[in-house]
Amino acid sequence: MSVQIEALFTSALGLQAPWVVRAVRLDTAKHRIDFDVHCVQALLTCPVCGAASQKVHDRMPRSWRHLDFFQYEAWLHAEVPRVGCAACGKTTQLSVPWAREGSGFTLLFEALALTMCRDLPVRQTARALRVRDKQLWRRIEHYVTEARRKQDMSQVRIVGIDETSLRRGHDYVTVVHDLDAKRLLFCTEGRDHQTIQAFAQDLHAHGGEPTAIAHACMDMSAAYLKGATAYLPNAQVSYDRFHVVKLAGQAMDDVRTEEWKTEQARVEEALGHLTPKQRRSVMWGMRRNPSGWSHTQTEAMHWLQRANLKTARAWRLKMALREVFANARIHNQAEPAGAELKAWISWARRSRLEPFKRLAATLKAHFDSVVRGMLDHRSNAFVEAMNGLMQQAKRAARGFRTAANFMAIAYLRLGKLTHLPASPFVPAVALSAGVTTHRVRSQVPHETA
């Protein structure tokens, strides 16, 4: 190979002395291009003790998958020197600047894979890069672990705690988000109080202090409350309004289901003139905001609101609780929010609807935490949104083989990790950039009027 071509590919691959490209083999039939890289120095520095001018003991052949060159799959091959050090007496293989030790991919190839896995399912990325998905999972776990080890949590003050399903059944992971920085802080298997202990330990390991957590937003989980009380001692617990209203929706559905099954005569008397489609519209209309009702749902709900049914009372109770939370978001004051919530609890306890009586007792038992969740616009809405993205990624990937895979991809996409490899693709600079051009004046004289 000519000196000019050797220098061209050495520069294109980003190699520096003592590494140079010695040969390039293009096989169009096999759709690949192979680069033979060579270390030209005979005396090297010992990687262990740093002694200079040590002899090469032998050379070990190694190969790495690189970014594609044009449409061809590219591979780097090198006989990596092992340095026999006379100073420390050890024989050690030299590290290559283009790849991690033990990896069969170059650093740039791994950076590209991580960039793609942030947006695409890992299996789809593996097909696009023509590798096995297990190879990508190992790289994701390695880089995520290294990036999390360097993550700074010293400024974390407000956290959101929630659970999300790992797979169908009862396999769950607990996720903790920084609600100020909008990032995933911690993820672990399980949903008991020990998951909060594990978070507190991880927070401390990353420069944070569990005693510095001032606010924890969560659902009404007794296990999470126990964990927060024990391991986040200074955190004010607030119950997310999303979960409170969700409990009211569940209570409403329980009332409707029970009444429509056991008191069919009263339901027929009140809604018997409705068509089956309108009956279904009642169910869906009760679950949606009035602003989102379709024409059919609006007509069906018109009749329900005028019916003397338990279902109608349950719907009014749910909508009234939503209004209590909406008012609190407007005035953002604890005293009127507490007064409105007490009034709603009193109404629910007198409603003679068992699901709402139970909900009222629950809210009364956690009254202060519920009121705190009504104020300052703090909620787990961001956590719920991120959990939705995690579930969307899980469905796109048709599940994850292990919990470690699920948590690794969650950190990669939602953790805002700042110590991950950057994308190898950057915009090219235009050829004319930095070149000053001078406009040539026309030699034709201007015409006079």
Side-chain angles (χ1 to χ4, degrees):
M1 186 174 63
S2 68
V3 175
Q4 292 84 354
I5 297 297
E6 175 184 320
L8 171 64
F9 281 107
T10 299
S11 299
L13 292 171
L15 301 180
Q16 296 179 354
W19 300 97
V20 296
V21 174
R22 280 288 179 84
V24 179
R25 302 188 305 276
L26 175 62
D27 192 328
T28 56
K30 294 182 178 179
H31 210 75
R32 62 180 288 163
I33 184 170
D34 295 86
F35 300 94
D36 292 335
V37 182
H38 183 68
C39 179
V40 297
Q41 287 185 2
L43 298 177
L44 298 168
T45 300
C46 176
V48 178
C49 67
S53 302
Q54 300 299 311
K55 293 182 179 180
V56 174
H57 177 74
D58 58 8
R59 297 174 185 266
M60 304 296 294
R62 296 286 186 267
S63 296
W64 301 266
R65 172 75 184 278
H66 189 49
L67 299 176
D68 290 356
F69 252 66
F70 299 104
Q71 70 270 34
Y72 300 107
E73 187 174 295
W75 286 83
L76 268 61
H77 309 277
E79 291 187 347
V80 183
R82 291 202 305 165
V83 179
C85 182
C88 65
K90 295 182 179 179
T91 301
T92 310
Q93 182 172 288
L94 192 69
S95 297
V96 296
W98 59 81
R100 292 185 298 114
E101 184 177 357
S103 175
F105 298 147
T106 64
L107 294 172
L108 289 177
F109 188 90
E110 291 180 333
L112 173 63
L114 286 177
T115 301
M116 295 178 66
C117 288
R118 283 178 169 175
D119 299 309
L120 298 175
V122 175
R123 188 172 299 177
Q124 185 176 341
T125 300
R127 284 198 300 265
L129 296 177
R130 305 178 301 283
V131 297
R132 290 181 289 112
D133 59 341
K134 287 185 179 180
Q135 294 175 299
L136 297 189
W137 280 118
R138 287 197 294 268
R139 271 76 184 173
I140 292 172
E141 291 180 12
H142 167 79
Y143 280 107
V144 164
T145 300
E146 288 299 309
R148 286 204 73 246
R149 185 174 57 83
K150 302 173 183 177
Q151 192 175 26
D152 180 23
M153 299 185 186
S154 60
Q155 301 302 315
V156 176
R157 298 293 182 269
I158 303 175
V159 297
I161 305 171
D162 200 8
E163 64 187 32
T164 188
S165 63
L166 177 62
R167 57 179 64 88
R168 289 184 179 180
H170 299 283
D171 294 326
Y172 290 88
V173 294
T174 293
V175 293
V176 183
H177 289 259
D178 182 349
L179 295 185
D180 283 332
K182 299 292 189 295
R183 58 172 175 163
L184 174 64
L185 291 176
F186 183 71
C187 186
T188 187
E189 291 185 79
R191 52 176 176 174
D192 56 15
H193 71 280
Q194 293 178 343
T195 59
I196 310 302
Q197 180 185 15
F199 164 66
Q201 294 171 346
D202 187 77
L203 178 67
H204 183 75
H206 290 87
E209 285 297 333
T211 55
I213 301 300
H215 194 98
C217 186
M218 62 183 71
D219 61 14
M220 290 187 180
S221 167
Y224 288 160
L225 177 61
K226 178 181 178 181
T229 303
Y231 304 111
L232 306 176
N234 295 331
Q236 286 190 326
V237 174
S238 66
Y239 290 128
D240 178 42
R241 56 179 173 266
F242 169 83
H243 287 96
V244 176
V245 175
K246 182 180 179 181
L247 290 176
Q250 292 173 347
M252 178 191 68
D253 279 342
D254 291 343
V255 171
R256 179 190 58 78
T257 301
E258 181 67 18
E259 184 177 39
W260 288 24
K261 283 184 177 180
T262 61
E263 302 182 33
Q264 294 182 0
R266 293 186 69 251
V267 174
E268 287 293 333
E269 181 180 355
L271 304 177
H273 60 284
L274 297 182
T275 65
K277 181 179 179 180
Q278 290 174 324
R279 290 279 189 95
R280 291 191 297 272
S281 296
V282 168
M283 179 181 67
W284 292 111
M286 291 173 66
R287 296 174 177 175
R288 300 183 65 181
N289 290 332
S291 59
W293 284 346
S294 65
H295 176 73
T296 304
Q297 290 169 349
T298 301
E299 184 177 354
M301 291 300 295
H302 169 80
W303 293 106
L304 176 68
Q305 293 175 67
R306 285 155 179 78
N308 186 23
L309 293 175
K310 296 178 182 178
T311 301
R313 271 188 289 147
W315 178 78
R316 294 189 189 100
L317 277 165
K318 188 205 78 166
M319 294 303 297
L321 184 59
R322 291 178 64 96
E323 185 175 355
V324 169
F325 276 87
N327 291 340
R329 293 193 68 179
I330 296 174
H331 57 65
N332 197 34
Q333 297 179 15
E335 186 174 346
E340 290 186 30
L341 182 60
K342 284 182 180 178
W344 186 92
I345 291 175
S346 176
W347 179 19
R349 295 179 67 182
R350 293 181 285 104
S351 67
R352 293 174 293 171
L353 303 176
E354 287 301 322
F356 279 94
K357 291 171 67 175
R358 291 194 296 268
L359 176 60
T362 300
L363 298 185
K364 184 178 180 181
H366 303 92
F367 186 83
D368 292 338
S369 297
V370 174
V371 172
R372 277 195 292 267
M374 301 167 70
L375 307 177
D376 297 331
H377 305 292
R378 292 171 181 165
S379 76
N380 270 3
F382 168 76
V383 180
E384 294 295 333
M386 294 302 99
N387 288 350
L389 293 179
M390 292 166 66
Q391 293 301 318
Q392 184 180 13
K394 184 181 71 174
R395 289 191 295 270
R398 291 177 174 84
F400 298 95
R401 289 189 177 92
T402 65
N405 287 352
F406 184 88
M407 291 185 285
I409 205 69
Y411 284 128
L412 178 66
R413 296 186 175 188
L414 310 177
K416 293 186 178 179
L417 302 176
T418 56
H419 295 88
L420 290 171
S423 171
F425 294 139
V426 295
V429 178
L431 292 176
S432 59
V435 178
T436 303
T437 58
H438 300 277
R439 181 176 297 176
V440 179
R441 293 184 179 180
S442 173
Q443 300 300 319
V444 179
H446 295 286
E447 293 182 357
T448 56

